[in-house]
C-alpha cells in the first residue's frame, strides 16, 4: 500500500518539503498547481493546460455558468502557519469579486471554522456577505462538528438538507450533490458516508439521464489518497458505483489543503487548496497538520477553484488560482497530471 501511495504522490502531488518551499522548487510545482490548471471535461475525457489570466477571461465569457470552490477557511485558527486566516479568506473573496465574469454561486467544501464556535461562524458570515456571488452552498468539515456534533452548522447552513447535511440541486442541466463524510469522524480516521446517505444518493441519481453531468462535493476526498492520515473515505467506492453510468462526473473535495487530481474512467477527482494554511504532502512529515512556509510564499499556496460549465460540450473547465500571483515563468510551462 505504501509503495502505491508513494507512486501516486510522486505523480500527482506538488512536492512540499517539511521546512517550507524554496523559490525554485515552488515555481516548478506551480506550473500546474499555483498558477492554476484549466481542466476541461468533454464526454468524460479530461485535458489540461497551464492557466494564464487571458484564458481565465475567455473561459468565463464562453461558459454557460460559472461557480467558484473555496475550502478550509478554518476561521478561528491563529497559529504560526497563518495567524490571520480571516484576512486570507477576505483576499480570496476579493479575488472572486475581481473576476471578469461574476460567478453564479460559490461552493464551500468544509472546515468553515476551526472549533465550530458561534463567533467563528459569525466572522465567516460577515466576510462571505461581501462576495459578489450571493448564493453559497456548504458542506461541513470535521472542524464544523467539534463542539455540538454539527447542530449549529445545520442551523446556519443546513436548512432543507437531509440527515447530517446532505442535499442536491440542479443548475442548467448539471446535477450537484453535496455529501457529508465527517459525521462521527474519529481522530485521524477515514471519512464515512454511512448507509442512510448512500441510500439517499442512489435514489437521488435514479432516473437521471446518463448524459447528465454530475458534480459530487464533500469535505474529505472521495478517493483514497493516504489512509495513514485518514485522507480518504471508507465507503466511497459504493457511492462512486452509482455514478459509473454517467458520461461526465466531477468530484470536488477539500480537507488536504493542496491540489491533487486523478481520473478514473469518466470520473475526475479534484481537491482544492485551503484559504487558511497549507499541509504537507503525504509521507513528507510525521503527520498531517498546518505547515508553516515563508510569509512571502503563504498566499501562493492558498487559493480558490474557478469552474466554468459549457452546455454545448457538456464540459467543465477547472481553474485553480493562488491568492497571490506567482509571477512569470511557471504560468506558461506545460500541463500537469491528468493532462493530454
Amino acid at each position: 500500500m505504501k509503495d502505491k501511495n508513494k507512486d501516486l504522490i510522486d505523480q500527482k502531488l506538488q512536492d512540499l518539503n517539511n521546512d517550507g518551499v524554496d523559490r525554485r522548487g515552488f515555481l516548478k510545482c506551480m506550473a500546474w498547481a499555483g498558477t492554476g490548471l484549466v481542466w476541461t471535461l468533454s464526454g468524460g475525457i479530461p485535458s489540461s493546460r497551464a492557466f494564464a489570466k487571458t484564458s481565465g477571461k475567455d473561459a468565463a465569457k464562453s461558459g454557460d455558468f460559472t461557480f467558484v470552490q473555496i475550502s478550509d477557511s478554518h476561521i478561528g485558527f491563529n497559529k504560526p502557519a497563518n495567524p490571520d486566516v480571516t484576512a486570507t479568506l477576505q483576499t480570496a473573496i476579493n479575488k472572486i469579486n475581481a473576476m471578469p465574469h461574476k460567478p453564479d454561486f460559490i461552493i464551500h467544501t468544509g472546515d468553515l471554522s476551526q472549533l465550530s464556535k458561534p463567533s467563528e461562524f459569525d466572522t465567516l458570515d460577515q466576510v462571505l456577505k461581501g462576495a459578489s456571488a450571493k448564493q453559497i452552498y456548504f458542506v461541513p468539515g470535521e472542524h464544523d462538528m467539534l463542539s455540538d456534533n454539527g447542530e449549529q452548522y445545520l442551523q446556519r447552513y443546513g436548512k432543507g438538507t437531509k440527515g447530517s447535511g446532505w442535499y442536491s440541486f440542479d443548475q442548467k442541466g448539471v446535477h450537484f450533490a453535496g455529501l457529508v463524510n465527517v459525521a462521527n469522524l474519529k481522530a485521524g480516521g477515514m471519512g464515512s458516508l454511512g448507509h442512510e446517505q448512500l441510500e439517499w444518493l442512489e435514489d437521488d441519481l435514479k432516473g437521471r439521464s446518463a448524459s447528465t453531468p454530475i458534480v459530487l462535493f464533500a469535505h474529505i476526498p472521495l478517493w483514497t489518497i493516504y489512509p495513514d492520515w485518514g485522507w480518504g473515505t471508507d465507503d466511497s467506492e459504493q457511492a462512486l458505483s452509482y455514478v459509473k453510468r454517467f458520461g461526465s462526473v466531477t468530484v470536488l473535495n477539500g480537507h488536504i489543503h493542496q491540489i491533487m487530481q486523478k481520473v478514473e474512467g469518466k470520473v475526475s477527482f479534484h481537491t482544492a487548496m485551503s484559504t487558511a494554511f497549507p499541509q504537507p504532502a503525504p509521507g513528507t512529515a510525521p503527520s498531517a497538520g498546518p505547515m508553516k512556509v515563508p510569509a512571502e510564499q503563504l498566499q501562493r499556496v492558498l487559493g480558490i477553484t474557478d469552474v466554468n460549465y459549457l452546455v454545448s460540450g457538456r464540459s467543465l473547465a477547472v481553474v485553480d488560482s493562488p491568492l497571490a500571483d506567482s509571477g512569470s515563468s511557471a504560468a506558461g510551462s506545460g500541463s500537469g497530471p491528468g493532462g493530454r
Side-chain angles (χ1 to χ4, degrees), residues 29 43 87-88 111 134 144 148 156 164 170 201 208 220 229 240 245 260-262 265 283 290 312-313 326:
C29 73
T88 49
D111 278 354
K134 299 306 178 185
D144 303 317
D148 57 2
R156 291 183 182 241
S164 55
D170 294 281
L201 179 63
R208 300 186 185 279
I220 298 177
W229 289 357
L240 295 171
R245 67 183 180 88
M260 285 190 70
Q261 297 177 314
K262 184 180 76 160
S312 58
S326 64

Side-chain angles (χ1 to χ4, degrees), residues 121-312:
F121 289 127
D122 288 344
T123 298
L124 177 88
D125 292 344
Q126 191 61 39
V127 175
L128 294 183
K129 280 180 182 178
S132 58
K134 299 306 178 185
Q135 178 65 60
I136 304 177
Y137 296 98
F138 301 89
V139 287
E142 73 277 12
H143 284 261
D144 303 317
M145 308 186 102
L146 288 179
S147 64
D148 57 2
N149 203 30
E151 287 185 17
Q152 182 166 180
Y153 167 86
L154 286 174
Q155 289 174 7
R156 291 183 182 241
Y157 312 108
K159 291 181 175 61
T161 63
K162 308 289 185 182
S164 55
W166 58 82
Y167 60 99
S168 65
F169 65 94
D170 294 281
Q171 176 79 10
K172 296 185 179 178
V174 181
H175 186 67
F176 292 78
L179 306 177
V180 179
N181 53 6
V182 297
N184 303 312
L185 186 68
K186 296 177 182 178
M190 297 273 280
S192 176
L193 295 164
H195 179 69
E196 182 183 358
Q197 185 174 192
L198 286 167
E199 282 197 330
W200 169 84
L201 179 63
E202 182 180 24
D203 184 66
D204 180 69
L205 295 172
K206 277 181 180 176
R208 300 186 185 279
S209 167
S211 63
T212 303
I214 303 294
V215 177
L216 305 179
F217 59 101
H219 180 61
I220 298 177
L222 293 178
W223 51 297
T224 301
I225 295 175
Y226 200 63
D228 289 359
W229 289 357
W231 286 6
T233 300
D234 277 329
D235 48 6
S236 60
E237 186 174 348
Q238 185 173 347
L240 295 171
S241 72
Y242 303 149
V243 298
K244 284 184 177 178
R245 67 183 180 88
F246 293 95
S248 175
V249 180
T250 304
V251 181
L252 302 177
N253 303 115
H255 189 59
I256 70 171
H257 296 218
Q258 57 200 277
I259 296 168
M260 285 190 70
Q261 297 177 314
K262 184 180 76 160
V263 177
E264 282 189 1
K266 296 175 181 178
V267 182
S268 297
F269 300 83
H270 185 96
T271 64
M273 290 181 280
S274 165
T275 67
F277 53 83
Q279 292 200 74
T284 64
S287 64
M291 183 178 71
K292 191 176 188 306
V293 298
E296 68 274 13
Q297 294 178 2
L298 178 61
Q299 289 197 7
R300 297 173 187 159
V301 289
L302 307 178
I304 63 175
T305 300
D306 174 24
V307 182
N308 298 286
Y309 174 62
L310 288 73
V311 169
S312 58

Side-chain angles (χ1 to χ4, degrees), residues 75 113-122 143 147 152 156:
I75 297 300
S113 65
Q114 177 66 10
L115 297 173
S116 60
K117 293 180 178 179
S119 60
E120 295 172 350
F121 289 127
D122 288 344
H143 284 261
S147 64
Q152 182 166 180
R156 291 183 182 241

Side-chain angles (χ1 to χ4, degrees), residues 95-110:
K95 189 173 181 68
I96 293 168
N97 292 346
M99 291 171 60
H101 179 78
K102 175 183 171 181
D104 292 74
F105 56 89
I106 294 171
I107 286 177
H108 195 306
T109 46

